[in-house]
Amino acid sequence: MSEKNLASAVAYYQAMNKKDLSVMEKYLHPEVRLIGPLADVTGKEAVLNSVKHLLAAFDKLTIRAQFGSGDRVMLAYDIDFPAPIGLSRAAVLLTFQEGLIIRYELFFDASPFVKK
């Protein structure tokens, strides 16, 4: 199961890099929860709305490492944003249920994104 989940996680993030929200939606469980430094939302619509803002803001996303075990997948990736933010390194821990992402926990330095 972990290979399938890993493939789904990579496909989800590849769709994110292509800014293809309709493909991304196919990988999310209806009750998905997104937990991160700037958001804690539950439900597919709320998560997609949160992700939509990110899609409009970055130039490129590159997966650097990927690991899967059982129902969990961890990805390390870089996101290139226009100046003044630049490169942001991030990681995500995804938990799968019934082949879909049910929990989506983000790890990154949020300070460049907080209005001062």
Side-chain angles (χ1 to χ4, degrees):
M1 187 55 111
S2 65
E3 288 300 316
K4 184 176 187 286
N5 292 340
L6 186 57
S8 292
V10 169
Y12 177 85
Y13 271 81
Q14 287 172 337
M16 184 181 293
N17 183 49
K18 294 177 183 171
K19 303 177 188 253
D20 192 337
L21 206 58
S22 64
V23 170
M24 293 170 64
E25 180 179 10
K26 296 175 186 179
Y27 294 98
L28 298 177
H29 189 280
E31 297 172 22
V32 62
R33 181 175 178 201
L34 168 65
I35 304 164
L38 300 174
D40 187 341
V41 296
T42 301
K44 188 188 283 192
E45 269 189 57
V47 168
L48 288 170
N49 189 47
S50 184
V51 171
K52 197 182 308 183
H53 298 293
L54 172 67
L55 297 181
F58 75 88
D59 294 326
K60 182 179 177 188
L61 184 149
T62 306
I63 297 172
R64 294 187 298 119
Q66 52 193 351
F67 306 93
S69 179
D71 66 349
R72 292 189 173 178
V73 171
M74 187 113 204
L75 302 177
Y77 57 95
D78 294 336
I79 302 182
D80 290 314
F81 290 92
I85 294 172
L87 183 69
S88 177
R89 289 178 166 73
V92 64
L93 177 61
L94 300 170
T95 304
F96 285 80
Q97 181 178 309
E98 301 164 1
L100 299 171
I101 299 167
I102 185 76
R103 185 176 169 98
Y104 188 141
E105 192 168 358
L106 295 169
F107 303 91
F108 63 92
D109 177 10
S111 61
F113 306 97
V114 179
K115 293 180 181 175
K116 296 176 185 179

